[in-house]
Amino acid sequence: VALYKSVPTRLLSRAWGRLNQVELPTWLRKPVYSLYIWTFGVNMKEAAVEDLHHYRNLSEFFRRKLKPQARPVCCLHSVISPSDGKILNFGQVKNCEVEQVKGVTYSLESFLGPRICTEELHFSQAPSGNSFQQQLVTKEGNELFHCVIYLAPGDYHCFHSPTDWRVSHRRHFPGSLMSVNPGVARWIKELFCHNERVVLRGDWKHGFFSLTAVGATNVGSIRIYFDQDLHTNSPSYSKGSYNDFSFISNNNKEGISMRKGEHLGEFNLGSTIVLIFEAPKDFKFHLKAGQKIRFGEALGSL
């Protein structure tokens, strides 16, 4: 593990990103993309543009858009999958820890970071002995839930809003860019806390809601469409550092309103999305660990 952590994954990821942006000659595009499609099982019939010659470089191909009706959004359930991928874990958050894969956990507070100024009022009202987990829950009788979705290299790389909610704050942790493949996640405890990630926090009708995009090797680029100030995988960073940005201002006191299914952001290649949210105790997931899921399908409901 120590040897793997010493690999310069950020440098390699930036180099890979530069390579991905090199324009390919038209004659080379089809064989290169066809090899990728065959290797990772990409379904190009769902792509808005099926012609491989249309994509000037690998980066454009990774970020390909889907046909409008390829992913119908489920209207019957309150929370949908924000992306294509594989369900690694889900359930209630217990003892201030979240499972990244079965049996391997990470600290909730380390992952999300300390409280933010807009939460001060709520935290000041909570009893001093309350845990970080309990302090995130704003309504009596509610619990904290989580869901981890792994995006493989062949998956659709955009992600969307999983519910109707308001984004009030963004926290960016520069960090390592180790692989988040489930096999690696099994032997590196708190992998998600080591890696670069972008935490979007806000609220929905039941209280606290957060979506975190976790970077990985060759996925230094995390883009949030409404956040032009976000820049990921910078050449240098301080270990354990983070920077905050508030979407609440004098002119915009509501933050950023997102509708269920609305475009939210994108990765290059593949990565992981972690949802952590508050809901009534009778919230039920409609999932099985290890199952494949597509954007728009139900995650759970009341």
Side-chain angles (χ1 to χ4, degrees), residues 4-16 175-179 195 216-220 233 237:
Y4 178 59
K5 287 181 177 180
S6 69
V7 175
T9 51
R10 291 178 66 83
L11 179 62
L12 292 173
S13 297
R14 281 196 299 278
W16 177 251
S176 301
L177 286 171
M178 292 181 283
S179 171
N195 270 17
T217 308
N218 298 335
V219 198
N233 198 7
Y237 74 100

Side-chain angles (χ1 to χ4, degrees), residues 55-108:
Y55 302 100
R56 295 173 298 176
N57 52 46
L58 279 165
S59 184
E60 285 190 3
F61 179 72
F62 293 147
R63 295 180 286 108
R64 64 193 176 275
K65 299 296 187 288
L66 298 181
K67 291 173 181 173
Q69 302 306 318
R71 297 288 187 276
V73 175
C74 176
C75 299
L76 300 177
H77 300 276
S78 53
V79 183
I80 62 167
S81 177
S83 67
D84 288 8
K86 179 181 180 180
I87 301 295
L88 294 190
N89 224 297
F90 63 91
Q92 281 191 23
V93 176
K94 296 179 181 179
N95 302 319
C96 295
E97 291 199 332
V98 185
E99 286 191 316
Q100 58 192 26
V101 292
K102 189 170 180 62
V104 182
T105 63
Y106 56 92
S107 160
L108 180 65

Side-chain angles (χ1 to χ4, degrees), residues 23-37:
E23 186 167 339
L24 297 175
T26 305
W27 63 269
L28 190 58
R29 294 175 188 176
K30 188 169 183 178
V32 169
Y33 301 148
S34 295
L35 177 61
Y36 187 91
I37 290 167

Side-chain angles (χ1 to χ4, degrees), residues 136-203:
L136 288 179
V137 177
T138 63
K139 299 180 180 179
E140 189 175 349
N142 281 3
E143 296 287 348
L144 210 58
F145 296 85
H146 74 100
C147 182
V148 183
I149 304 169
Y150 168 68
L151 289 74
D155 287 327
Y156 166 57
H157 296 116
C158 296
F159 50 93
H160 300 247
S161 176
T163 192
D164 296 335
W165 65 307
R166 295 181 305 169
V167 184
S168 58
H169 184 268
R170 178 258 291 161
R171 175 168 284 161
H172 172 218
F173 292 84
S176 301
L177 286 171
M178 292 181 283
S179 171
V180 292
N181 182 284
V184 176
R186 288 188 182 93
W187 51 268
I188 299 184
K189 182 177 172 62
E190 298 207 328
L191 170 63
F192 294 166
C193 297
H194 292 301
N195 270 17
E196 180 157 20
R197 60 197 181 279
V198 177
V199 182
L200 300 179
R201 301 168 73 136
D203 62 276

